[in-house]
Amino acid sequence: MPDTHLQPAQHSGSHSPSSVNNAPSRHRFLGEDRWWHIAFGTLMAITLAAFIIWTRSYVPVGTFGFLLILAMILGLFMAFNIGGNDVANSFGTSVGAGTLTIKQALLIAAVFEVAGAVIAGGEVTETVRSGIVNIEAITTNPMDFVFIMMAALTGAAIWLLIATKSGLPVSTTHSIIGAIVGASLTTGVMISQDPSQPGFEGLGSALSTVQWSEIGQIAISWVISPLLGGIVAFALFKFIKQSILLYNEKADVRLTELKQEFIEHTGTTAENFDRIGYIQTVAYANARLPKAEAKEMAAQARAAIAHGMEPTLEQKYDYALKKLDKGVNDLDAHRALMVYVPLLAAAGAVIISSMLLFKGLKNLDLEFTALQSSALLIMIATLTWFAMTMFAKTLTNKSLSRSTFILFSWMQVFTAAAFAFSHGSNDISNALGPFAAILDVFKTAAVGEMAVIPTPALLAFGVALVVGLWFIGRNVIETVGTNLTKMHPSSGFAAELAAATVVLLASQLGLPVSSTHILIGAVLGVGLVNRAANWKMMKPIGLAWIVTLPAAAGIGAVTVLMLRAVF
């Protein structure tokens, strides 16, 4: 691709020039990023301490104790691992393409993930994730419910940690569902031995409380999610490659030919030409001679050549300048960037804005009519098209490859930021939902259908997401951004926009999909266009998807047994 050679070097630490020249620094305490580690570790400790202090004033006196503190730690631990897997998965294409460094991705995640959680994280949440288990049929004891939710947080978080350290992107939603199922079934079997529970017949009754059709939909999502993501990404990147990237390659070849012709006619050096550049040279050609004089000078040069005479040096130079000017103008090298990139940006703005309106901000109860939503999206698309057109014009003095890299980098940053906001507003509920349910039980001494989510909890869990991304997210980022296929801004933008499109459509149609699986499919889709998809890497990822439910369920089951034994 024409912009691959301009990608910045990855800042992975072990491959940076500083780490090569100062190899022993890696063996120092916490490595070369020790101050970042200390800063985020301190931030997490302060957040936990402040959260504990706030919670103590939030619940009634007498209910605050070690069990609630443990539940808070488990909830933040779950958010930490969501950050390490889900958030890292979302930013993998941006980091892998060289658009963002890990620290820049962290900054964007910190702003937009936390903003999404606080602004649109919701005031209430369902106490039982997805309603996949009828916990009321298993137990009406509030503390049994607390143990199930604590075990669910533990089971999902531990499995996510294992997958993240292995560099495997998995679904956090499937993880929490599996953990709830495992903890609920185990609790059902345990209390079936209690004679005060008439009519409950052990494992059979427990199994009947699970909505197995929901489990079947999850299994379907293992196939449909990556398939849809791959198809849309393949089509989108195919268009980008054919309409922009290949056009730019051909234009680059022609520009090189024009440059060589100019050098041969004028005797200048390639170094001098490169230092001045095409645009400045052409501008000089237009400014050097008025149009009439330029025509006369060119005619004199052609006449001299036709009569076998050697044109003067000045005639040769001016003739070469005007020929270069005409060649560059006829070529219109930046046409593809000027025409198609603003249109892609406008279409992307509509998709991203729709995702924010209908998914990211759904918890704010914004009530737009179809006409109002359409008008708003048209305004956004128009402004985006105009802004990108103006931006593309400012880059015409740069090389095609550099212009392509810059334009797609900016668009990819916007898609990554939108993904972060949507993720913070929605998927954080995988940690907040069970914890809010626990907190509600401690506050009301009863299990309600809905639980209030206090703003301090949203903020604390948002911070945990970002800290998790920093400490354990690198392996997943490497898998998504590098190991599945080679990424650059144009392919990264295509993958992210395709994933956003499928997530939006699936959520509106009610299709059982996973955003993680969709993005992985999208990355493979762009890899297929370049014939560089690493299918071997999909074997462990696919296995991890299948194992997620039973693994989280098993850990949740063991954890609930331990909690019941200790408390």
Side-chain angles (χ1 to χ4, degrees):
M1 301 290 54
D3 59 342
T4 53
H5 66 283
L6 289 170
Q7 296 174 17
Q10 301 300 305
H11 298 270
S12 59
S14 60
H15 299 289
S16 63
S18 60
S19 64
V20 173
N21 296 332
N22 302 290
S25 66
R26 292 181 296 172
H27 302 290
R28 292 182 295 181
F29 177 65
L30 296 179
E32 60 183 19
D33 287 328
R34 61 190 179 281
W35 292 114
W36 285 79
H37 296 324
I38 292 172
F40 280 103
T42 302
L43 176 62
M44 192 70 254
I46 293 174
T47 300
L48 176 60
F51 194 33
I52 290 175
I53 293 172
W54 171 84
T55 304
R56 187 170 185 177
S57 64
Y58 181 76
V59 300
V61 177
T63 61
F64 183 85
F66 176 75
L67 189 62
L68 181 54
I69 293 176
L70 179 60
M72 296 170 64
I73 294 173
L74 292 175
L76 291 174
F77 182 52
M78 175 62 175
F80 176 91
N81 285 286
I82 291 176
N85 198 287
D86 238 15
V87 180
N89 177 41
S90 300
F91 280 94
T93 55
S94 299
V95 176
T99 301
L100 298 171
T101 67
I102 181 65
K103 293 172 183 175
Q104 290 170 335
L106 183 76
L107 178 61
I108 293 178
V111 174
F112 287 91
E113 290 278 350
V114 176
V118 174
I119 295 174
E123 297 179 354
V124 296
T125 185
E126 295 179 10
T127 56
V128 181
R129 179 66 190 170
S130 299
I132 199 167
V133 179
N134 182 11
I135 295 182
E136 290 183 359
I138 295 177
T139 179
T140 56
N141 185 343
M143 290 312 298
D144 284 336
F145 178 78
V146 167
F147 292 150
I148 290 173
M149 292 296 103
M150 291 178 66
L153 289 171
T154 305
I158 291 177
W159 167 245
L160 284 174
L161 180 62
I162 294 171
T164 301
K165 298 298 288 184
S166 302
L168 301 174
V170 296
S171 171
T172 56
T173 301
H174 294 176
S175 298
I176 196 67
I177 288 175
I180 289 177
V181 169
S184 300
L185 292 182
T186 303
T187 300
V189 173
M190 291 292 293
I191 64 176
S192 67
Q193 310 302 319
D194 188 348
S196 65
Q197 300 283 339
F200 194 89
E201 300 176 356
L203 180 61
S205 295
L207 290 174
S208 66
T209 64
V210 178
Q211 297 187 30
W212 295 106
S213 60
E214 296 285 340
I215 301 296
Q217 287 190 346
I218 290 175
I220 293 173
S221 76
W222 295 335
V223 177
I224 191 173
S225 295
L227 184 62
L228 290 175
I231 291 173
V232 176
F234 180 89
L236 179 58
F237 187 57
K238 187 77 171 178
F239 170 79
I240 291 174
K241 185 172 182 178
Q242 293 290 341
S243 302
I244 300 175
L245 303 183
L246 292 181
Y247 177 90
N248 288 355
E249 286 183 353
K250 294 176 182 177
D252 265 330
V253 171
R254 180 55 184 151
L255 284 173
T256 301
E257 292 174 352
L258 289 171
K259 167 186 170 180
Q260 191 59 38
E261 291 175 5
F262 180 82
I263 292 172
E264 291 175 357
H265 280 88
T266 61
T268 188
T269 63
E271 290 76 14
N272 287 336
F273 186 94
D274 290 337
R275 186 165 59 249
I276 299 173
Y278 291 99
I279 303 302
Q280 290 85 348
T281 304
V282 171
Y284 174 70
N286 293 327
R288 175 177 167 79
L289 292 172
K291 189 172 184 179
E293 293 184 28
K295 284 186 176 180
E296 183 180 352
M297 186 71 72
Q300 292 175 356
R302 285 194 297 269
I305 294 173
H307 290 84
M309 300 171 59
E310 182 71 17
T312 66
L313 184 61
E314 185 179 25
Q315 287 176 335
K316 290 173 62 177
Y317 191 78
D318 286 321
Y319 177 67
L321 276 174
K322 300 308 292 185
K323 187 176 181 181
L324 177 65
D325 181 22
K326 185 178 185 304
V328 171
N329 286 334
D330 290 345
L331 179 60
D332 195 9
H334 283 74
R335 181 179 67 82
L337 296 181
M338 295 287 293
V339 173
Y340 293 114
V341 169
L343 290 176
L344 281 172
V350 170
I351 297 298
I352 295 300
S353 300
S354 298
M355 187 174 70
L356 294 180
L357 281 175
F358 304 125
K359 192 173 187 294
L361 298 176
K362 67 179 182 179
N363 294 323
L364 294 183
D365 297 324
L366 295 177
E367 296 182 1
F368 289 107
T369 65
L371 182 59
Q372 289 173 330
S373 298
S374 299
L376 181 60
L377 292 176
I378 291 173
M379 288 172 57
I380 292 172
T382 303
L383 288 173
T384 303
W385 173 83
F386 180 76
M388 288 303 296
T389 300
M390 294 297 100
F391 187 28
K393 284 184 177 180
T394 66
L395 298 175
T396 54
N397 63 335
K398 297 183 181 296
S399 67
L400 280 174
S401 55
R402 185 60 182 166
S403 299
T404 304
F405 182 88
I406 292 173
L407 286 170
F408 278 105
S409 293
W410 274 103
M411 292 195 295
Q412 193 179 15
V413 168
F414 282 115
T415 55
F419 253 115
F421 183 90
S422 180
H423 183 270
S425 63
N426 285 280
D427 288 358
I428 196 174
S429 62
N430 289 323
L432 268 173
F435 175 76
I438 296 170
L439 194 62
D440 190 63
V441 170
F442 278 90
K443 186 174 177 63
T444 64
V447 179
E449 292 185 2
M450 306 296 288
V452 175
I453 302 179
T455 300
L458 288 167
L459 184 60
F461 279 59
V463 170
L465 282 176
V466 178
V467 175
L469 172 62
W470 171 255
F471 278 110
I472 62 173
R474 287 172 173 78
N475 290 341
V476 173
I477 285 177
E478 183 178 358
T479 296
V480 176
T482 305
N483 293 345
L484 284 172
T485 189
K486 180 67 176 176
M487 301 296 294
H488 51 85
S490 57
S491 57
F493 167 77
E496 290 179 3
L497 184 58
T501 302
V502 175
V503 168
L504 176 64
L505 293 177
S507 63
Q508 296 302 305
L509 297 175
L511 298 177
V513 297
S514 164
S515 58
T516 296
H517 300 176
I518 289 171
L519 185 58
I520 295 302
V523 171
L524 288 173
V526 299
L528 282 174
V529 175
N530 291 330
R531 298 180 181 179
N534 182 7
W535 293 105
K536 291 182 179 180
M537 191 66 210
M538 270 308 297
K539 291 181 181 179
I541 292 176
L543 181 61
W545 290 354
I546 296 172
V547 170
T548 291
L549 277 174
I555 300 172
V558 172
T559 304
V560 82
L561 288 175
M562 295 173 61
L563 289 171
R564 292 175 66 87
V566 174
F567 298 100

